[in-house]
Amino acid sequence: MRRAHTVDQVRTAEAAVLAVLPDGALMQRAAHGLAYAVLDLLGSAYGRRVLLLVGAGDNGGDALYAGAVLARRGARVEALLLSEHAHPGGLAALRAAGGRVVAAVGTPPEVVVDGIVGIGGRPGLRPEAVAALAAVADVPVVAVDLPSGVDVDTGELAGPHVRAAVTVTFGTLKVAHLVDPAASACGAVHLVDLDLPLPAAPVEALQAPDVARLLPRPASDAQKYTRGVVGVRAGSPRYPGAALLSVAGASSGLCGMVRYAGDPGVGDRVRAAHPEVVGPGRVQAWVVGSGTDDRAAGELAAALADGVPLVVDADALAHVARPLPPTTVLTPHAGELSAMLGAERAAVEAAPLAHARQAADSYGCVVLLKGRHTLVAEPAGRVRVTTTGVPWLATAGAGDVLGGLIGALLAAGLDAFDAASVGSWLHGAAATLASAGGPLVAGQVAAAIPDAVRALPLG
């Protein structure tokens, strides 16, 4: 599990460690980890040109001490000070190692180390920092802890900010490393472990071993009914493909049976494509909404009347009333969530974490907000972020497959939060396999789900 903590949590943990470690020990660990990450990017040290952009406080100190490590290995290290309060110990160490302070950017460096603003900084950058970054606009940046200018605890952006090739963070991930739009500015994130005594994290991201542990697997004496039955109410004469794709996601083998209970005419096409799918009957979970057009309200009401867990997607989202049963998973994209909350779409896209949490509280159930890094929020405030997937996954019908997949996991026995987050992870992993670096369509994602499961480590 990748866990992301808030600034207050990190500071409390650091204070506990600093109380027992020698002075400066924690910063030296961070600086050496940062220096080695820069070396990995450059490939070598001797004669390579490194520019440190240094602000006030410990963040700038990390950059200066790392610069000293690089200078001792033969790199040509220069520091541009963007504050009169640069870390004095770090500055002395850099000079002693042969690095130097410059008043402006001279010969273009090969890498820039962003030590402008630490985790306590406010979003946005001062003009002198913006000007310095503009002078090295085409040079890869290694960010210290976070790209300067992003909001650490929300993942939001508010003005100019660094866009890094690599971000080296210390002790733990922070929320902005996982949550967009800030996460998109982090590049590759490298974590330097500092053995901090950290509490439970408010934001986390499943990894393959977590998915393998959570995934329902059939017992030796399983039969189709004990493995769970999911019902699908999707599609319409206008959008038959939504039914086919929802059923494809549901019938990927993760539960025992799929029932189709949508439009009768569409049902013939569903069963022709998926002969294992049967008609209406008792289910342990419902998937409702995709492509239901003017049938959406009725299909939602029928699914709710059963009193079983359900996934609500697409057209049915316009008909949900609050509060919903806590076993419900809502799967909106930003436009759909904006309508549900009465907010502007741009506002949702600028602050997805805040809006996903607001929706989960408002509707009393799990909300999966689709995006580059999909968010799964529960009313208690816990959030999981999906980091699997490829840009090619932005294709028509992919959300229909996702809804069916989550419904199958609900029917198989996962709770709403786990079903949504495991389903989203598998959906992204399947897309990565199906894409193999190139374009794909939604049906290929559904077909690759079994391969994504087979690729999981053994539990």
Side-chain angles (χ1 to χ4, degrees):
M1 190 84 73
R2 302 184 77 191
R3 295 178 172 86
H5 291 82
T6 66
V7 171
D8 286 345
Q9 289 177 317
V10 172
R11 285 177 167 166
T12 299
E14 286 178 343
V17 172
L18 288 170
V20 298
L21 284 180
D23 186 42
L26 207 59
M27 182 171 284
Q28 288 299 325
R29 286 189 199 174
H32 278 78
L34 173 61
Y36 295 144
V38 174
L39 286 172
D40 283 345
L41 182 64
L42 288 173
S44 63
Y46 190 80
R48 309 305 290 267
R49 297 187 302 277
V50 179
L51 175 66
L52 315 176
L53 298 181
V54 180
D58 289 349
N59 188 260
D62 292 335
L64 289 165
Y65 278 117
V69 173
L70 294 169
R72 287 195 295 270
R73 288 176 172 259
R76 298 169 58 186
V77 183
E78 297 180 337
L80 179 59
L81 306 184
L82 300 174
S83 169
E84 296 177 356
H85 306 288
H87 193 280
L91 196 54
L94 177 68
R95 285 175 164 147
R100 66 192 190 102
V101 174
V102 296
V105 178
T107 303
E110 295 170 84
V111 67
V112 172
V113 177
D114 162 29
I116 303 170
V117 180
I119 61 174
R122 295 180 178 179
L125 293 173
R126 294 181 177 178
E128 57 269 26
V130 173
L133 289 165
V136 289
D138 297 325
V139 180
V141 175
V142 176
V144 181
D145 223 356
L146 277 158
S148 293
V150 308
D151 192 300
V152 183
D153 285 345
T154 68
E156 297 170 21
L157 303 175
H161 61 278
V162 168
R163 183 165 291 277
V166 177
T167 295
V168 181
T169 193
F170 312 112
T172 180
L173 297 181
K174 286 71 178 179
V175 175
H177 293 131
L178 295 179
V179 174
D180 278 336
S184 65
C186 291
V189 178
H190 175 69
L191 174 63
V192 177
D193 189 10
L194 300 179
D195 295 321
L196 299 181
L198 292 159
V203 175
E204 56 193 20
L206 296 179
Q207 303 299 293
D210 306 307
V211 175
R213 174 178 52 83
L214 290 168
L215 192 73
R217 295 181 183 272
S220 58
D221 60 348
Q223 43 99 344
K224 60 189 176 186
Y225 294 109
T226 61
R227 292 192 59 211
V229 181
V230 62
V232 177
R233 294 179 175 273
S236 63
R238 187 178 179 188
Y239 302 113
L244 291 164
L245 292 168
S246 294
V247 168
S251 63
S252 49
L254 294 175
C255 66
M257 181 185 289
V258 180
R259 296 185 181 276
Y260 182 74
D263 182 270
V266 174
D268 294 338
R269 297 181 63 174
V270 168
R271 283 180 285 276
H274 303 279
E276 70 277 10
V277 173
V278 299
R282 186 174 180 182
V283 301
Q284 278 74 57
W286 280 110
V287 179
V288 58
S290 297
T292 46
D293 203 17
D294 56 7
R295 297 170 55 95
E299 297 286 19
L300 177 61
L304 283 167
D306 263 3
V308 298
L310 75 157
V311 180
V312 183
D313 187 31
D315 296 332
L317 291 169
H319 301 281
V320 292
R322 358 182 174 188
L324 287 162
T327 53
T328 303
V329 179
L330 306 179
T331 60
H333 56 58
E336 290 162 338
L337 188 63
S338 67
M340 293 165 63
L341 295 176
E344 294 293 329
R345 177 170 185 153
V348 174
E349 292 173 336
L353 179 61
H355 286 88
R357 281 176 164 157
Q358 179 188 346
D361 286 341
S362 179
Y363 285 92
C365 65
V366 170
V367 173
L368 181 152
L369 176 56
K370 299 169 187 173
R372 188 188 77 99
H373 279 189
T374 289
L375 303 180
V376 179
E378 63 175 359
R382 189 167 51 142
V383 174
R384 283 183 181 152
V385 184
T386 302
T387 56
T388 57
V390 290
W392 295 110
L393 186 52
T395 186
D400 303 335
V401 172
L402 175 61
L405 170 56
I406 295 171
L409 293 168
L410 283 174
L414 288 188
D415 66 29
F417 188 62
D418 284 344
S421 48
V422 169
S424 181
W425 192 98
L426 283 174
H427 187 249
T432 301
L433 288 173
S435 168
L440 76 162
V441 294
Q444 293 172 296
V445 178
I449 292 170
D451 290 334
V453 173
R454 281 189 283 271
L456 291 172
L458 295 175

